[in-house]
Amino acid sequence: MKKEITLQDLNTERFINEKINEITDAVGDGIAINALSGGVDSSVVTMLGHRALGNRLRTVFIENGLMREGEAAYVEKLFGELGIKVEIVDARQEFLSALKGITDPEEKREAITGSFYRDVFGRIVRESEARFLLQGTILTDIDETVAGIKRQHNVFEQLGIDPQQAFGYRILEPLIQLRKDGVREVGRALGLPEKLFKRIPFPGPALAARVIGEATPERIETVRKANVIVEKLLEDSGAFQYMAILHEDRVTGMRDGKRDFGQQIEVRCWDSVDARTASPTRLSFDLLEKIASEIINSIPGIVSVTYNIATKPPSTIEAI
Ligand code: XMP
């Protein structure tokens, strides 16, 4: 495996040229499919792939029913402004049925991996006759998977899985030597708008990673609404990442003078450089109260809002 490039050692121009050459050499005069989720990593890969292959790169956004509010339209518009056409593929049914009845975190990740790579990309690749999938795996994804902490949805070869055999296509991962801080610098050098390369990280399993227990459409919708509020109110916090998590346990609350055995949302907000370690941001109590009251007043069934004050480790950034 190629060696890590730290932020200090990164020469963005040299890196970009090298990766463009590698992509061009691998794909030849064929076409490649590019998996864009709207996160920092896949946005940077999209720019690199587009520079290397132009319109021989087909960029797809998988609408899996687990994304943040308005995400497909946001990504389509932003990349449209950069001259990159994004195809939205509706795969909501496939993902939601794969997740049905599953509560275990690793089984959930496995269901999402299978839906993405075997079912949805498998189909797109077969139909388009592409032989390559370009994706934004970074070093931290690999570290945590190999260490057995979390099986990141996009890691295969390091687990002894050959994507060619398993799914029928090869995977190109130009960012595999970088961590988040390096990826952002490459994004800046590629001319991505700041709102994209500075975007907070978002996990591949999307909102399913923020629902403890079964990710039903209703529970995903609840956590989606809570994430809108948390992202809006913490936008100026300067934190590395922030999110809302829906818990499985219910607690007794009261609403309109009656007992309401309701749901709980946990808010997390992290200070971190590269996601390997993290500590909770010291948010003001006023801000925390504002978040809590907006969540409780606008999302039916939520009676408790907590703020996580543990560090990573032993916590991890996402809850599943
Ligand atoms: P954790 O939760 O492991 O997260 O501390 C570290 C960083 O990675 C993101 N994350 C993921 N990204 N697939 C991804 O693409 C995943 O399965 C996944 N799990 C976590 C997380 O948001 C954080 O920035």
Side-chain angles (χ1 to χ4, degrees):
M1 202 182 115
K2 285 192 175 165
K3 150 167 174 294
E4 172 170 3
I5 305 174
T6 61
L7 186 62
Q8 291 72 27
D9 291 342
L10 176 67
N11 174 326
T12 47
E13 283 315 309
R14 187 165 2 118
F15 179 87
I16 290 168
N17 288 330
E18 207 177 286
K19 295 302 157 191
I20 288 178
N21 287 338
E22 283 174 21
I23 297 168
T24 317
D25 286 351
V27 180
D29 54 11
I31 58 167
I33 303 292
N34 170 223
L36 172 64
S37 70
V40 180
D41 309 338
S42 68
S43 297
V44 171
V45 163
T46 299
M47 295 297 277
L48 269 178
H50 192 72
R51 277 233 200 146
L53 303 172
N55 55 16
R56 288 187 296 115
L57 184 75
R58 263 183 68 188
T59 294
V60 296
F61 175 97
I62 309 298
E63 175 49 272
N64 54 16
L66 308 171
M67 302 308 270
R68 283 173 288 185
E69 183 82 29
E71 190 69 8
Y74 175 78
V75 169
E76 191 178 24
K77 178 165 178 292
L78 252 168
F79 279 88
E81 285 164 4
L82 295 168
I84 299 176
K85 185 175 174 304
V86 179
E87 293 173 45
I88 313 286
V89 175
D90 184 358
R92 282 175 294 185
Q93 235 17 69
E94 267 154 308
F95 279 83
L96 293 176
S97 53
L99 285 166
K100 203 168 165 38
I102 299 181
T103 54
D104 176 78
E106 284 305 307
E107 284 178 25
K108 253 195 228 168
R109 286 167 183 272
E110 194 55 48
I112 289 170
T113 301
S115 304
F116 261 125
Y117 292 91
R118 192 188 52 234
D119 305 341
V120 179
F121 287 129
R123 188 177 68 237
I124 297 170
V125 166
R126 263 195 314 280
E127 286 170 5
S128 67
E129 293 180 2
R131 285 180 303 119
F132 296 92
L133 179 74
L134 202 60
Q135 72 170 16
T137 323
I138 67 170
L139 197 51
T140 319
D141 299 340
I142 294 184
D143 285 351
E144 297 209 341
T145 301
V146 172
I149 297 168
K150 285 183 188 180
R151 160 80 155 91
Q152 307 272 336
H153 79 292
N154 52 2
V155 175
F156 301 102
E157 278 173 28
Q158 293 75 10
L159 294 175
I161 301 167
D162 176 359
Q164 179 74 54
Q165 270 183 2
F167 316 121
Y169 50 84
R170 277 186 59 200
I171 296 184
L172 301 177
E173 300 170 311
L175 306 182
I176 206 110
Q177 292 164 278
L178 303 179
R179 296 193 188 272
K180 197 64 102 195
D181 45 1
V183 176
R184 292 195 208 277
E185 279 316 301
V186 174
R188 184 202 299 275
L190 282 164
L192 267 184
E194 185 163 309
K195 61 180 172 222
L196 260 180
F197 72 75
K198 286 222 173 133
R199 223 177 168 196
I200 55 168
F202 188 69
L207 295 174
R210 300 192 176 162
V211 167
I212 299 176
E214 188 178 352
T216 62
E218 297 73 34
R219 302 190 76 221
I220 290 286
E221 189 49 33
T222 299
V223 89
R224 181 180 286 125
K225 287 193 182 121
N227 273 277
V228 170
I229 295 168
V230 169
E231 287 200 12
K232 180 186 73 181
L233 294 178
L234 295 181
E235 195 181 357
D236 300 323
S237 64
F240 176 82
Q241 193 170 2
Y242 29 88
M243 66 199 66
I245 292 153
L246 177 63
H247 279 248
E248 196 171 20
D249 292 342
R250 288 182 175 251
V251 289
T252 297
M254 49 197 274
R255 208 184 281 266
D256 304 328
K258 284 209 206 83
R259 173 189 151 106
D260 184 0
F261 197 51
Q263 305 195 82
Q264 308 184 66
I265 288 285
E266 175 189 338
V267 176
R268 294 183 176 197
C269 180
W270 297 105
D271 290 336
S272 178
V273 174
D274 57 16
R276 279 189 288 183
T277 58
S279 53
T281 307
R282 295 190 164 220
L283 298 174
S284 78
F285 217 90
D286 285 350
L287 185 52
L288 288 169
E289 280 180 333
K290 199 165 163 196
I291 295 171
S293 82
E294 207 167 309
I295 289 176
I296 284 169
N297 290 327
S298 62
I299 309 179
I302 306 294
V303 298
S304 162
V305 177
T306 57
Y307 184 56
N308 178 54
I309 50 169
T311 55
K312 172 183 179 176
S315 186
T316 57
I317 288 180
E318 303 287 347
I320 78 150

Short mmCIF file of all heavy atoms in Angstrom, two decimals, residues 215-253:
data_model
loop_
_atom_site.label_atom_id
_atom_site.label_comp_id
_atom_site.label_asym_id
_atom_site.label_seq_id
_atom_site.Cartn_x
_atom_site.Cartn_y
_atom_site.Cartn_z
N ALA A 215 -33.21 1.36 11.34
CA ALA A 215 -33.32 2.60 10.54
C ALA A 215 -34.56 2.51 9.66
O ALA A 215 -34.48 2.24 8.47
CB ALA A 215 -32.05 2.79 9.71
N THR A 216 -35.73 2.73 10.26
CA THR A 216 -36.98 2.72 9.48
C THR A 216 -37.12 4.09 8.82
O THR A 216 -36.50 5.07 9.25
CB THR A 216 -38.19 2.52 10.42
OG1 THR A 216 -38.22 3.63 11.33
CG2 THR A 216 -38.08 1.22 11.21
N PRO A 217 -37.95 4.19 7.77
CA PRO A 217 -38.15 5.50 7.13
C PRO A 217 -38.59 6.58 8.13
O PRO A 217 -38.14 7.72 8.07
CB PRO A 217 -39.24 5.24 6.09
CG PRO A 217 -39.16 3.77 5.81
CD PRO A 217 -38.67 3.12 7.07
N GLU A 218 -39.45 6.21 9.08
CA GLU A 218 -39.93 7.21 10.06
C GLU A 218 -38.80 7.67 10.96
O GLU A 218 -38.66 8.85 11.26
CB GLU A 218 -41.04 6.62 10.96
CG GLU A 218 -42.32 6.19 10.25
CD GLU A 218 -42.14 4.91 9.43
OE1 GLU A 218 -41.34 4.03 9.86
OE2 GLU A 218 -42.76 4.79 8.35
N ARG A 219 -37.97 6.73 11.43
CA ARG A 219 -36.88 7.09 12.35
C ARG A 219 -35.81 7.90 11.60
O ARG A 219 -35.21 8.82 12.16
CB ARG A 219 -36.30 5.84 13.00
CG ARG A 219 -37.39 5.05 13.76
CD ARG A 219 -36.81 3.96 14.61
NE ARG A 219 -36.21 4.52 15.81
CZ ARG A 219 -35.06 4.12 16.34
NH1 ARG A 219 -34.40 3.14 15.79
NH2 ARG A 219 -34.59 4.70 17.42
N ILE A 220 -35.58 7.56 10.34
CA ILE A 220 -34.64 8.34 9.53
C ILE A 220 -35.16 9.77 9.37
O ILE A 220 -34.41 10.74 9.48
CB ILE A 220 -34.43 7.69 8.13
CG1 ILE A 220 -33.64 6.38 8.25
CG2 ILE A 220 -33.77 8.64 7.15
CD1 ILE A 220 -32.16 6.54 8.55
N GLU A 221 -36.46 9.90 9.16
CA GLU A 221 -37.04 11.24 9.00
C GLU A 221 -36.88 12.06 10.29
O GLU A 221 -36.57 13.25 10.24
CB GLU A 221 -38.52 11.11 8.59
CG GLU A 221 -39.20 12.40 8.17
CD GLU A 221 -38.41 13.22 7.15
OE1 GLU A 221 -37.71 12.65 6.30
OE2 GLU A 221 -38.49 14.47 7.24
N THR A 222 -37.06 11.40 11.43
CA THR A 222 -36.90 12.11 12.71
C THR A 222 -35.46 12.61 12.86
O THR A 222 -35.22 13.77 13.21
CB THR A 222 -37.24 11.14 13.89
OG1 THR A 222 -38.59 10.74 13.74
CG2 THR A 222 -37.03 11.79 15.23
N VAL A 223 -34.50 11.74 12.58
CA VAL A 223 -33.10 12.15 12.78
C VAL A 223 -32.68 13.16 11.70
O VAL A 223 -31.85 14.03 11.95
CB VAL A 223 -32.17 10.92 12.85
CG1 VAL A 223 -31.65 10.48 11.51
CG2 VAL A 223 -31.03 11.16 13.82
N ARG A 224 -33.30 13.08 10.53
CA ARG A 224 -33.01 14.06 9.46
C ARG A 224 -33.40 15.46 9.93
O ARG A 224 -32.64 16.41 9.81
CB ARG A 224 -33.76 13.67 8.19
CG ARG A 224 -33.51 14.61 7.02
CD ARG A 224 -34.27 14.19 5.76
NE ARG A 224 -33.68 13.04 5.12
CZ ARG A 224 -34.31 11.90 4.83
NH1 ARG A 224 -35.60 11.77 5.09
NH2 ARG A 224 -33.69 10.90 4.25
N LYS A 225 -34.62 15.56 10.51
CA LYS A 225 -35.10 16.86 11.00
C LYS A 225 -34.17 17.39 12.09
O LYS A 225 -33.85 18.57 12.14
CB LYS A 225 -36.52 16.72 11.56
CG LYS A 225 -37.58 16.53 10.50
CD LYS A 225 -38.94 16.73 11.14
CE LYS A 225 -40.07 16.51 10.14
NZ LYS A 225 -40.97 15.44 10.58
N ALA A 226 -33.75 16.50 13.00
CA ALA A 226 -32.87 16.94 14.10
C ALA A 226 -31.51 17.39 13.56
O ALA A 226 -30.92 18.35 14.06
CB ALA A 226 -32.72 15.82 15.12
N ASN A 227 -31.02 16.72 12.54
CA ASN A 227 -29.73 17.12 11.96
C ASN A 227 -29.82 18.48 11.26
O ASN A 227 -28.85 19.24 11.27
CB ASN A 227 -29.19 16.04 11.00
CG ASN A 227 -28.37 15.00 11.76
OD1 ASN A 227 -27.19 15.18 12.03
ND2 ASN A 227 -29.03 13.92 12.16
N VAL A 228 -30.98 18.79 10.67
CA VAL A 228 -31.15 20.12 10.05
C VAL A 228 -30.98 21.19 11.13
O VAL A 228 -30.25 22.17 10.95
CB VAL A 228 -32.56 20.25 9.39
CG1 VAL A 228 -32.82 21.70 8.98
CG2 VAL A 228 -32.69 19.32 8.20
N ILE A 229 -31.62 20.97 12.29
CA ILE A 229 -31.57 21.97 13.37
C ILE A 229 -30.14 22.11 13.91
O ILE A 229 -29.61 23.21 14.06
CB ILE A 229 -32.55 21.58 14.50
CG1 ILE A 229 -33.98 21.64 13.96
CG2 ILE A 229 -32.37 22.47 15.73
CD1 ILE A 229 -35.02 21.01 14.87
N VAL A 230 -29.49 20.97 14.16
CA VAL A 230 -28.14 21.00 14.73
C VAL A 230 -27.17 21.66 13.72
O VAL A 230 -26.36 22.50 14.10
CB VAL A 230 -27.68 19.56 15.10
CG1 VAL A 230 -26.21 19.53 15.43
CG2 VAL A 230 -28.49 19.06 16.29
N GLU A 231 -27.28 21.31 12.45
CA GLU A 231 -26.37 21.91 11.46
C GLU A 231 -26.60 23.41 11.34
O GLU A 231 -25.65 24.18 11.22
CB GLU A 231 -26.53 21.23 10.09
CG GLU A 231 -25.92 19.84 10.09
CD GLU A 231 -25.62 19.31 8.68
OE1 GLU A 231 -25.65 20.08 7.71
OE2 GLU A 231 -25.35 18.09 8.59
N LYS A 232 -27.86 23.81 11.39
CA LYS A 232 -28.17 25.25 11.27
C LYS A 232 -27.61 26.02 12.47
O LYS A 232 -26.93 27.03 12.31
CB LYS A 232 -29.69 25.44 11.15
CG LYS A 232 -30.14 26.86 11.03
CD LYS A 232 -31.65 27.00 11.07
CE LYS A 232 -32.19 26.77 12.46
NZ LYS A 232 -33.62 26.85 12.66
N LEU A 233 -27.85 25.51 13.68
CA LEU A 233 -27.47 26.26 14.87
C LEU A 233 -25.97 26.17 15.18
O LEU A 233 -25.45 26.99 15.92
CB LEU A 233 -28.31 25.84 16.08
CG LEU A 233 -29.80 26.20 15.95
CD1 LEU A 233 -30.58 25.70 17.15
CD2 LEU A 233 -30.00 27.71 15.80
N LEU A 234 -25.28 25.17 14.63
CA LEU A 234 -23.85 25.04 14.93
C LEU A 234 -22.96 25.41 13.74
O LEU A 234 -21.73 25.26 13.80
CB LEU A 234 -23.53 23.62 15.42
CG LEU A 234 -24.18 23.26 16.76
CD1 LEU A 234 -23.79 21.86 17.20
CD2 LEU A 234 -23.77 24.27 17.85
N GLU A 235 -23.58 25.91 12.69
CA GLU A 235 -22.86 26.28 11.47
C GLU A 235 -21.67 27.21 11.75
O GLU A 235 -20.61 27.08 11.15
CB GLU A 235 -23.85 26.99 10.55
CG GLU A 235 -23.38 27.11 9.13
CD GLU A 235 -24.41 27.84 8.27
OE1 GLU A 235 -25.49 28.19 8.78
OE2 GLU A 235 -24.08 28.06 7.10
N ASP A 236 -21.85 28.14 12.69
CA ASP A 236 -20.78 29.10 12.97
C ASP A 236 -19.93 28.71 14.17
O ASP A 236 -19.17 29.51 14.69
CB ASP A 236 -21.39 30.50 13.24
CG ASP A 236 -22.18 30.98 12.03
OD1 ASP A 236 -21.73 30.70 10.89
OD2 ASP A 236 -23.24 31.61 12.22
N SER A 237 -20.06 27.47 14.61
CA SER A 237 -19.33 27.05 15.83
C SER A 237 -17.84 26.84 15.57
O SER A 237 -17.05 26.81 16.50
CB SER A 237 -19.92 25.74 16.36
OG SER A 237 -19.72 24.70 15.42
N GLY A 238 -17.48 26.66 14.30
CA GLY A 238 -16.08 26.38 13.97
C GLY A 238 -15.66 24.96 14.33
O GLY A 238 -14.49 24.61 14.21
N ALA A 239 -16.61 24.13 14.74
CA ALA A 239 -16.28 22.76 15.16
C ALA A 239 -15.96 21.89 13.94
O ALA A 239 -16.34 22.21 12.81
CB ALA A 239 -17.44 22.17 15.94
N PHE A 240 -15.32 20.76 14.18
CA PHE A 240 -14.93 19.83 13.11
C PHE A 240 -16.17 19.12 12.55
O PHE A 240 -16.30 18.93 11.35
CB PHE A 240 -13.96 18.79 13.70
CG PHE A 240 -13.55 17.70 12.75
CD1 PHE A 240 -12.54 17.92 11.82
CD2 PHE A 240 -14.16 16.45 12.79
CE1 PHE A 240 -12.16 16.91 10.95
CE2 PHE A 240 -13.78 15.45 11.91
CZ PHE A 240 -12.77 15.68 10.99
N GLN A 241 -17.09 18.74 13.43
CA GLN A 241 -18.27 17.98 12.99
C GLN A 241 -19.34 18.05 14.07
O GLN A 241 -19.02 18.09 15.26
CB GLN A 241 -17.86 16.52 12.75
CG GLN A 241 -18.88 15.68 12.02
CD GLN A 241 -18.33 14.33 11.59
OE1 GLN A 241 -17.18 14.01 11.88
NE2 GLN A 241 -19.13 13.54 10.92
N TYR A 242 -20.60 18.07 13.65
CA TYR A 242 -21.69 18.08 14.63
C TYR A 242 -22.87 17.32 14.04
O TYR A 242 -23.02 17.22 12.83
CB TYR A 242 -22.09 19.51 15.01
CG TYR A 242 -21.87 20.53 13.93
CD1 TYR A 242 -22.84 20.78 12.99
CD2 TYR A 242 -20.65 21.23 13.84
CE1 TYR A 242 -22.63 21.71 11.98
CE2 TYR A 242 -20.43 22.15 12.84
CZ TYR A 242 -21.42 22.39 11.90
OH TYR A 242 -21.20 23.30 10.90
N MET A 243 -23.68 16.77 14.95
CA MET A 243 -24.73 15.87 14.48
C MET A 243 -25.78 15.63 15.55
O MET A 243 -25.56 15.93 16.73
CB MET A 243 -24.09 14.52 14.13
CG MET A 243 -23.55 13.82 15.35
SD MET A 243 -22.34 12.53 14.98
CE MET A 243 -20.98 13.45 14.30
N ALA A 244 -26.90 15.06 15.12
CA ALA A 244 -27.93 14.59 16.05
C ALA A 244 -28.09 13.10 15.86
O ALA A 244 -28.01 12.59 14.74
CB ALA A 244 -29.26 15.29 15.75
N ILE A 245 -28.30 12.40 16.97
CA ILE A 245 -28.43 10.94 16.95
C ILE A 245 -29.75 10.57 17.61
O ILE A 245 -30.10 11.14 18.66
CB ILE A 245 -27.25 10.32 17.73
CG1 ILE A 245 -25.96 10.55 16.95
CG2 ILE A 245 -27.47 8.83 18.00
CD1 ILE A 245 -24.75 10.61 17.83
N LEU A 246 -30.47 9.64 17.00
CA LEU A 246 -31.73 9.20 17.60
C LEU A 246 -31.49 7.92 18.40
O LEU A 246 -30.96 6.94 17.87
CB LEU A 246 -32.77 8.93 16.50
CG LEU A 246 -34.11 8.38 16.98
CD1 LEU A 246 -34.84 9.36 17.90
CD2 LEU A 246 -35.00 8.02 15.78
N HIS A 247 -31.86 7.94 19.66
CA HIS A 247 -31.67 6.77 20.51
C HIS A 247 -32.83 5.78 20.38
O HIS A 247 -33.89 6.11 19.86
CB HIS A 247 -31.49 7.21 21.96
CG HIS A 247 -30.09 7.64 22.23
ND1 HIS A 247 -29.25 6.95 23.04
CD2 HIS A 247 -29.37 8.68 21.74
CE1 HIS A 247 -28.07 7.55 23.07
NE2 HIS A 247 -28.12 8.60 22.28
N GLU A 248 -32.56 4.58 20.87
CA GLU A 248 -33.55 3.52 20.76
C GLU A 248 -34.44 3.48 22.02
O GLU A 248 -35.63 3.25 21.94
CB GLU A 248 -32.81 2.19 20.61
CG GLU A 248 -33.69 1.08 20.12
CD GLU A 248 -32.86 -0.15 19.77
OE1 GLU A 248 -31.71 -0.28 20.25
OE2 GLU A 248 -33.38 -0.99 19.03
N ASP A 249 -33.80 3.72 23.17
CA ASP A 249 -34.55 3.68 24.43
C ASP A 249 -35.52 4.85 24.50
O ASP A 249 -35.22 5.94 24.07
CB ASP A 249 -33.59 3.82 25.62
CG ASP A 249 -32.71 2.61 25.76
OD1 ASP A 249 -33.06 1.56 25.20
OD2 ASP A 249 -31.66 2.72 26.42
N ARG A 250 -36.66 4.57 25.07
CA ARG A 250 -37.62 5.64 25.29
C ARG A 250 -37.58 6.08 26.75
O ARG A 250 -37.16 5.31 27.61
CB ARG A 250 -39.02 5.15 24.94
CG ARG A 250 -39.14 5.01 23.44
CD ARG A 250 -40.51 4.56 23.00
NE ARG A 250 -40.53 4.59 21.54
CZ ARG A 250 -41.21 5.48 20.83
NH1 ARG A 250 -41.95 6.39 21.42
NH2 ARG A 250 -41.15 5.45 19.52
N VAL A 251 -37.97 7.30 27.00
CA VAL A 251 -38.00 7.79 28.38
C VAL A 251 -39.34 8.48 28.64
O VAL A 251 -39.97 8.99 27.71
CB VAL A 251 -36.86 8.80 28.67
CG1 VAL A 251 -35.50 8.11 28.72
CG2 VAL A 251 -36.84 9.93 27.67
N THR A 252 -39.70 8.50 29.90
CA THR A 252 -40.96 9.14 30.25
C THR A 252 -40.82 10.65 30.20
O THR A 252 -39.87 11.22 30.74
CB THR A 252 -41.41 8.70 31.66
OG1 THR A 252 -41.63 7.29 31.61
CG2 THR A 252 -42.69 9.40 32.09
N GLY A 253 -41.75 11.27 29.53
CA GLY A 253 -41.80 12.73 29.49
C GLY A 253 -43.23 13.16 29.70
O GLY A 253 -44.09 12.33 30.00
#
